[in-house]
Amino acid sequence: KRIMKSKTRVVLPGVLIIAMGALLFSFLNQGPGLQLVLSDQETSQVLFSLPVDTGDEVTFHWIHSFEHIPWIEEYSIEADETFVLHTISVAGFGAGIPENKGVVAIEDGMVVMRSIEERFDEIRWIHSQTALVSITLGHTTFITGEDVEHHLPVELSIKGTRTLWPRSLLTK
């Protein structure tokens, strides 16, 4: 009996320490998930946020400020809290429009550039209520151009508990 009690005194605290460590790791690793966040570049004030998952699609719908033609950019949300630009579709060429990114084709009157695969930690711009039509997450409108103050410097980013870990550990 005495041997059994001493083994319990040694084993039970070890098991408790391991269980608590696993619970803490699980809590830090899971967290509340990822958020798509639009914030003011100068003050870091969050203007809008929405829960997202890895693989979700974010689409910018623009009207080119000079050419006045549609411009659509399609990104995916990555596990390392970055955006990957896959496709740009634009109704023509003009000032600031890339001419040769990825695989280029003409589809339904639009110049479509696919397989771009450029990675961005965040997307920054000086907001225009007339140039931005909307940003959508799948089929859900995240914001419209009118939702944000005209000429406000903004930043779109992905935030989550994963930012507790150095990004270099996530990408290795």
Side-chain angles (χ1 to χ4, degrees):
K1 257 185 163 177
R2 193 178 270 173
I3 294 174
M4 190 71 119
K5 281 185 181 181
S6 78
K7 282 185 180 180
T8 302
R9 286 184 189 151
V10 171
V11 173
L12 187 58
V15 169
L16 286 174
I17 289 171
I18 291 170
M20 288 182 69
L23 212 92
L24 180 62
F25 179 77
S26 175
F27 173 76
L28 289 174
N29 202 29
Q30 299 291 324
L34 299 174
Q35 294 279 322
L36 183 65
V37 177
L38 184 72
S39 56
D40 182 316
Q41 285 184 42
E42 295 171 347
T43 66
S44 298
Q45 177 188 359
V46 172
L47 305 171
F48 297 91
S49 68
L50 190 67
V52 293
D53 288 315
T54 298
D56 283 351
E57 294 178 6
V58 176
T59 305
F60 282 76
H61 302 267
W62 303 95
I63 297 296
H64 190 282
S65 59
F66 184 74
E67 302 293 331
H68 303 286
I69 56 176
W71 177 323
I72 301 164
E73 298 173 344
E74 299 172 12
Y75 298 82
S76 62
I77 292 174
E78 303 300 310
D80 64 355
E81 298 177 15
T82 62
F83 298 93
V84 172
L85 173 62
H86 298 286
T87 305
I88 297 173
S89 301
V90 64
F93 287 107
I97 298 173
E99 64 189 73
N100 193 15
K101 280 195 176 277
V103 178
V104 181
I106 306 296
E107 299 175 11
D108 299 323
M110 299 283 280
V111 178
V112 180
M113 296 167 252
R114 284 197 171 80
S115 302
I116 298 169
E117 309 312 309
E118 283 185 44
R119 188 172 298 272
F120 298 88
D121 290 334
E122 67 276 322
I123 302 168
R124 295 176 171 207
W125 71 98
I126 305 298
H127 186 71
S128 168
Q129 292 181 333
T130 56
L132 182 72
V133 175
S134 66
I135 299 174
T136 58
L137 179 67
H139 297 292
T140 302
T141 300
F142 176 60
I143 64 162
T144 67
E146 296 174 351
D147 292 334
V148 178
E149 181 184 328
H150 197 59
H151 291 160
L152 184 70
V154 293
E155 172 182 298
L156 189 67
S157 59
I158 303 161
K159 304 284 186 197
T161 56
R162 293 182 194 126
T163 56
L164 293 172
W165 305 104
R167 190 165 286 186
S168 61
L169 291 177
L170 294 170
T171 57
K172 287 186 178 175

